[in-house]
Amino acid sequence: MKILKYGSTGPNVQLLQLALNRAQNALLDTDGVFGERTRNALIRFQAENGLSADGIAGPQTQAALRPWYTGVYMHRVRQGDTLWSISRMHGVSLESIVAANPGIDPANLVLGSTVKVPLPFSVVPTDIDWSSELVAYCAEGLPARYPFLKSSVIGSSVMGKPLYALSFGTGANRVVYNASHHANEWICTPMLFKYIEELCRAYASGGVIFGQSAAELYRLSTVIFVPAVNPDGIDLVTGAICEGEYFDAARRIAARYPSIPFPSGWKANIRGVDLNLQYPAGWETARDNKFALGFVSPAPADYVGSAPLVASESRAMYDFTMSVSPALTLSYHSQGRVIYWRYTDYEPPRSRQIAEAFAAVSGYSVEDTPYASGFAGYKDWFIQNFNRPGYTIEVGLGTNPLPLSQFDGIYSENLGILTYGALATL
């Protein structure tokens, strides 16, 4: 993680401010500007935790803040500790500790052993800009709180950032949901993470989500989430990357396309390859369409690459999907409030019926993909290769990146799609 100090800006400063608010109720504005109030709050945190109180968020301070990034505190058992005393010490419920530590014997806590303590706030924030670092913290914190949620890494980005997959359920009916093939459509990443957290919370408490028993969903299906296909691109758009060789190379690419704002108009991976034009489904047609528009080399958007699957991120999604062989996929993009459901003349069984059901619970329209955008996408390849229902869901309205003020509405509109999608092919 980059060292943060007075004068730093960007989404990782927002994340630091959020952690300080969680840790000590600092009442900071999460504005992404490391000013005097943020510095003072950090100094207080450092002093209270035996750190050098220099107001700089370096490696040791970041390590001390980790519980307030991930939402999980690792409590070392001391003489006289009980689960009840640990829960009171941290202000959390006994039930949440038991859920996070399956198999623990409350009557026989071992001195020096570690008890995972879910802290009393949601792991997933929905009111700050996102970065690959926040993706990693959520991919760590959610499975720590809910051990039945399995986390794996299916590949890596150009810059070596992990591509996480989180899996809920044990059923034979496997579905895959992904988000943020396109960098400036990153609002879909917290949407999937929030759904994961609410789904896990419902399962742990024996509750429901969108009227559906979470336990029944867990038994019948396996829902696999890849919440951030393009972490490097997300970092570029939100400002987590604002210097260095990758940033400079992206800026040079963007300079060749002055009509596309930089970095807010950036959809591609950090090398200028559009990840959702990388799949072997009419790739040559997509190339011809995009070349005719002038996208013949790396670009902020719409460059198909030198061949299918040359981008590591798209290759990872391809290989992972082949290994899982899902019954259904959802690919989340923005914007338009529309559901795209087929690829050319491919119309998998029940795919139109399921699309109409998605429309009924979301208020979105069901449409055919425009010809100019209708090739080489993940959804296109999945439908062509598996002849099973695959969907592109375009959330929200406006200009990408959509503002977080739309998040609550987007999440509410898609709650039914996300829940029904896990059961639609049964």
Side-chain angles (χ1 to χ4, degrees):
M1 181 182 194
K2 186 169 69 172
I3 293 174
L4 302 175
K5 57 187 177 180
Y6 188 87
S8 296
T9 59
N12 288 335
V13 175
Q14 288 182 283
L15 182 55
L16 172 65
Q17 292 166 330
L18 175 69
L20 291 169
N21 286 342
R22 288 171 167 178
Q24 57 184 23
N25 194 29
L27 301 178
L28 298 172
D29 292 331
T30 51
D31 57 6
V33 178
F34 196 131
E36 194 65 31
R37 293 190 67 232
T38 300
R39 181 175 178 274
N40 290 340
L42 183 59
I43 288 172
R44 288 196 303 275
F45 176 84
Q46 291 170 323
E48 291 167 1
N49 287 273
L51 301 164
S52 175
D54 57 6
I56 298 173
Q60 288 185 314
T61 297
Q62 295 288 7
L65 281 165
R66 194 173 199 89
W68 289 275
Y69 289 137
T70 64
V72 177
Y73 181 86
M74 309 304 286
H75 179 93
R76 184 78 63 181
V77 175
R78 298 170 296 192
Q79 187 70 40
D81 277 348
T82 65
L83 288 189
W84 173 246
S85 69
I86 293 170
S87 71
R88 292 190 65 187
M89 181 186 309
H90 296 284
V92 302
S93 72
L94 183 62
E95 292 76 14
S96 69
I97 296 178
V98 171
N101 298 273
I104 196 168
D105 182 356
N108 188 30
L109 297 184
V110 179
L111 287 178
S113 64
T114 299
V115 174
K116 291 184 291 184
V117 180
L119 295 175
F121 50 81
S122 295
V123 174
V124 180
T126 61
D127 57 353
I128 63 172
D129 294 339
W130 274 57
S131 64
S132 61
E133 189 158 345
L134 180 49
V135 168
Y137 283 134
C138 289
E140 174 186 340
L142 290 173
R145 283 192 181 211
Y146 304 107
F148 52 82
L149 180 70
K150 306 305 179 184
S151 180
S152 62
V153 174
I154 65 169
S156 60
S157 69
V158 170
M159 296 178 68
K161 294 162 188 169
L163 305 184
Y164 294 99
L166 293 97
S167 178
F168 173 93
T170 57
N173 179 57
R174 294 185 296 271
V175 300
V176 171
Y177 299 168
N178 68 80
S180 299
H181 269 81
H182 289 150
N184 65 353
E185 299 170 14
W186 62 261
I187 198 170
C188 300
T189 290
M191 186 193 72
L192 285 192
F193 269 118
K194 179 173 180 178
Y195 183 75
I196 295 168
E197 184 163 23
E198 293 203 343
L199 181 60
C200 289
R201 187 182 293 129
Y203 179 75
S205 65
V208 300
I209 187 162
F210 200 74
Q212 172 65 42
S213 162
E216 189 75 352
L217 196 156
Y218 187 89
R219 182 182 68 83
L220 293 172
S221 297
T222 300
V223 190
I224 307 169
F225 304 85
V226 184
V229 178
N230 188 1
D232 300 343
I234 292 172
D235 282 348
L236 181 65
V237 170
T238 62
I241 298 173
C242 56
E243 58 186 2
E245 69 172 286
Y246 285 105
F247 176 82
D248 292 341
R251 185 163 54 183
R252 287 193 295 271
I253 290 170
R256 299 198 294 267
Y257 299 88
S259 64
I260 300 176
F262 180 77
S264 64
W266 193 276
K267 294 171 64 176
N269 76 352
I270 199 69
R271 285 189 175 144
V273 176
D274 192 316
L275 297 179
N276 206 41
L277 292 171
Q278 268 281 286
Y279 294 93
W283 180 86
E284 293 81 4
T285 302
R287 179 195 58 196
D288 294 346
N289 289 343
K290 301 306 182 182
F291 275 26
L293 296 173
F295 297 101
V296 299
S297 63
D302 292 335
Y303 174 57
V304 300
S306 59
L309 302 176
V310 295
S312 61
E313 301 92 341
S314 299
R315 182 79 215 194
M317 280 299 300
Y318 173 92
D319 290 342
F320 179 67
T321 306
M322 290 294 291
S323 70
V324 171
S325 187
L328 174 147
T329 63
L330 299 181
S331 298
Y332 269 97
H333 292 256
S334 63
Q335 43 73 39
R337 300 183 77 246
V338 62
I339 300 163
Y340 296 123
W341 66 284
R342 69 177 178 181
Y343 168 60
T344 62
D345 293 331
Y346 289 89
E347 189 171 330
R350 297 186 59 210
S351 56
R352 176 75 193 204
Q353 175 188 348
I354 294 170
E356 295 288 357
F358 287 161
V361 295
S362 65
Y364 288 10
S365 61
V366 177
E367 297 181 12
D368 290 340
T369 308
Y371 180 83
S373 304
F375 302 91
Y378 175 85
K379 177 263 294 176
D380 307 326
W381 164 74
F382 177 77
I383 292 174
Q384 171 192 272
N385 196 72
F386 291 92
N387 194 34
R388 298 171 188 164
Y391 304 91
T392 294
I393 315 291
E394 299 275 2
V395 307
L397 293 170
T399 301
N400 291 322
L402 297 180
L404 282 169
S405 59
Q406 290 196 29
F407 181 86
D408 289 346
I410 287 171
Y411 183 76
S412 177
E413 290 166 353
N414 283 275
L415 187 56
I417 295 178
L418 291 162
T419 303
Y420 178 62
L423 304 168
T425 54
L426 290 174

